Amino acid sequence: MSDREQAFQEIFKANSKKIYHLCLGYTGDSDAANDLLQETFLKVWQNLDKFRNQSMISTWIYRIAVNTCLTYLKKEKRAAKDELTPNIIETKEEEVSEKQEQIATLYKCIAKLEESERLIITMVMDELPYPEIAEISGISEGNLRVKIHRIKHKLTELYNQHERL
Amino acid sequence: MKDFDSLVGIWNEQKTAPKVDYKEVIFAYKRGRNKLSAKLLREALLMLLALGAIAYVAASVDFDFWTSYLGLGLVALCCAYFVVMQFINMRKIANSNTLFDKPADHIRFLKAFKQSRHVQHTRNYKLYTLFVGLGALLYFVELFYKMGPLTMGIILTATAAWFALSYFYFLKQYIQQEEAKLQEMLADLERLNQQFSADEL
């Protein structure tokens, strides 16, 4: 295996799961999330040499992922994701458990948020530091804190409303 | 009632993992690159073939009228324009590093790109059709004197019918579809732009 492939393998291993969560939170569909993940890492592979000297490689990967998710609209107009998509239902049927149901509900609620909110909240839940989220989303840290506060409140309300149903 | 920390707890419980492997990404890149190169090469070769045919006709046939050369030249220029535009677009996409930009800047790039494509597909395509038509007409001036009126009538009618069908049906349909799609995309991008705008807060 070449050095380049070795480096890419390590980067992929360290970041793919979180990027997949971001894509899944944005699309609500596992097939689409896998496609977006692949597209994101294709860009990473293409630009690997530019990354070599970057200390925060994850920030760049996240930024590519966010932009790839936003570009996704260009290719396919997605209907409002207020219903569980077949892939999530499939997972739910395979492993029927309270936890799985809660996760499915959480994704369902995330799908009801605006696009930028979906992207930001998945990064918050994956515990990315606020300065990094601000850097990725291009929003000032102060504004981001306000925004995150609102999104957290909105998501919690949506989730609790859903649980009451 | 759950608070946000409980939701983070649920989030951390998920065992969802991507189905994509790093090797697949490398393979997809190599496959994609070859596919794109092959597509580019095919299109370029086809257009070069057409250009070659035009050059051959211009060089081997001793035309009496300058209009024939001008007509062939115009059509050749249109072919060359098509190839050049194709390459410029491909390079633009390949060299665009807006993926590293802030999302709002990336969205602005997408909007500009969509609009330039729209101009290309509408105004430029109309001009392209006009020049190809003009080239064909100039070329036909000499043919008109050399061929019988009946043969020329048939050729002219067939050419005019094809141009009319292309312009009034295919192009209109294409523009309508493109307009609707572009409008929807621009509205989406505008909405996204606002979402990332700090002024919103």
Side-chain angles (χ1 to χ4, degrees):
Chain A
M1 194 193 292
S2 67
D3 286 352
R4 191 184 160 89
E5 281 190 29
Q6 180 83 43
F8 182 68
Q9 186 188 7
E10 280 164 24
I11 292 166
F12 189 89
K13 222 171 149 183
N15 296 282
S16 61
K17 208 170 170 185
K18 285 185 177 184
I19 297 296
Y20 178 70
H21 287 163
L22 179 97
C23 300
L24 192 55
Y26 183 79
T27 60
D29 178 287
S30 66
D31 284 342
N34 275 306
D35 287 348
L36 288 174
L37 175 87
Q38 177 153 327
E39 212 179 315
T40 300
F41 278 96
L42 267 173
K43 294 279 171 192
V44 174
W45 170 258
Q46 266 174 307
N47 294 284
L48 206 57
D49 297 330
K50 292 177 198 159
F51 288 134
R52 291 277 163 93
N53 298 322
Q54 296 292 334
S55 51
M56 287 295 283
I57 191 167
S58 63
T59 308
W60 289 99
I61 297 173
Y62 262 103
R63 189 169 263 183
I64 294 177
V66 167
N67 284 330
T68 305
C69 286
L70 296 175
T71 314
Y72 179 67
L73 279 177
K74 193 175 77 168
K75 293 176 187 161
E76 199 178 349
K77 172 79 185 161
R78 304 294 297 177
K81 302 243 170 1
D82 53 357
E83 293 298 326
L84 277 179
T85 60
N87 290 311
I88 291 174
I89 292 168
E90 207 176 284
T91 319
K92 199 182 129 192
E93 282 169 356
E94 277 169 12
E95 309 166 49
V96 185
S97 72
E98 201 189 340
K99 268 180 190 142
Q100 286 303 315
E101 266 186 51
Q102 285 176 330
I103 292 163
T105 306
L106 186 55
Y107 271 111
K108 202 172 170 180
C109 296
I110 292 172
K112 286 182 178 165
L113 299 171
E114 285 191 340
E115 284 96 339
S116 67
E117 294 176 335
R118 274 181 245 163
L119 295 167
I120 290 168
I121 203 67
T122 47
M123 290 189 264
V124 172
M125 289 200 290
D126 267 331
E127 287 162 356
L128 252 76
Y130 281 15
E132 203 180 334
I133 301 177
E135 174 66 31
I136 293 161
S137 55
I139 299 170
S140 72
E141 223 183 301
N143 282 333
L144 183 76
R145 281 179 192 277
V146 180
K147 210 168 174 114
I148 288 174
H149 179 75
R150 282 188 197 166
I151 308 171
K152 277 181 178 179
H153 182 70
K154 200 168 163 184
L155 184 65
T156 314
E157 275 217 333
L158 278 169
Y159 189 90
N160 287 325
Q161 266 173 18
H162 208 278
E163 262 201 339
R164 278 197 294 272
L165 292 175
Chain B
M1 283 289 280
K2 283 190 172 63
D3 59 6
F4 186 73
D5 287 340
S6 312
L7 299 188
V8 175
I10 295 170
W11 179 263
N12 289 332
E13 288 288 338
Q14 64 177 323
K15 292 184 182 85
T16 46
K19 287 177 195 157
V20 180
D21 182 49
Y22 84 98
K23 280 180 191 161
E24 273 175 55
V25 177
I26 299 172
F27 179 68
Y29 173 73
K30 287 175 183 166
R31 193 183 47 202
R33 192 183 50 183
N34 292 341
K35 217 171 140 186
L36 184 68
S37 312
K39 186 177 176 273
L40 263 177
L41 195 70
R42 200 172 50 239
E43 281 176 2
L45 279 177
L46 276 173
M47 268 302 178
L48 282 174
L49 213 68
L51 275 172
I54 292 167
Y56 175 76
V57 171
S60 60
V61 180
D62 195 15
F63 291 110
D64 297 325
F65 288 35
W66 60 269
T67 48
S68 303
Y69 291 105
L70 184 66
L72 284 174
L74 270 177
V75 176
L77 270 176
C78 288
C79 293
Y81 166 80
F82 184 85
V83 175
V84 170
M85 282 317 288
Q86 207 73 349
F87 274 104
I88 288 175
N89 275 336
M90 293 294 178
R91 276 182 71 93
K92 248 189 206 171
I93 297 168
N95 294 338
S96 75
N97 268 334
T98 56
L99 276 170
F100 304 110
D101 289 348
K102 289 175 184 172
D105 293 335
H106 178 66
I107 291 163
R108 264 194 289 279
F109 162 79
L110 286 179
K111 279 173 76 179
F113 183 71
K114 289 262 155 270
Q115 265 159 339
S116 81
R117 268 177 68 90
H118 173 69
V119 168
Q120 211 175 307
H121 286 151
T122 51
R123 191 193 67 191
N124 291 8
Y125 197 66
K126 276 181 194 168
L127 284 172
Y128 176 83
T129 313
L130 189 78
F131 278 104
V132 172
L134 192 68
L137 269 179
L138 285 168
Y139 181 71
F140 287 156
V141 172
E142 185 166 341
L143 287 185
F144 185 75
Y145 288 96
K146 288 186 177 167
M147 289 182 172
L150 183 70
T151 320
M152 218 38 233
I154 293 168
I155 293 175
L156 269 177
T157 313
T159 311
W162 170 244
F163 269 87
L165 187 73
S166 302
Y167 189 84
F168 292 107
Y169 182 69
F170 293 129
L171 186 64
K172 285 248 153 68
Q173 212 177 34
Y174 182 78
I175 291 172
Q176 265 175 12
Q177 282 171 2
E178 186 84 19
E179 280 280 355
K181 213 171 146 189
L182 190 90
Q183 198 47 48
E184 193 179 285
M185 284 171 185
L186 285 178
D188 276 336
L189 293 171
E190 198 66 59
R191 185 171 48 79
L192 280 171
N193 219 354
Q194 279 169 5
Q195 285 178 25
F196 278 98
S197 159
D199 299 339
E200 190 198 10
L201 293 165

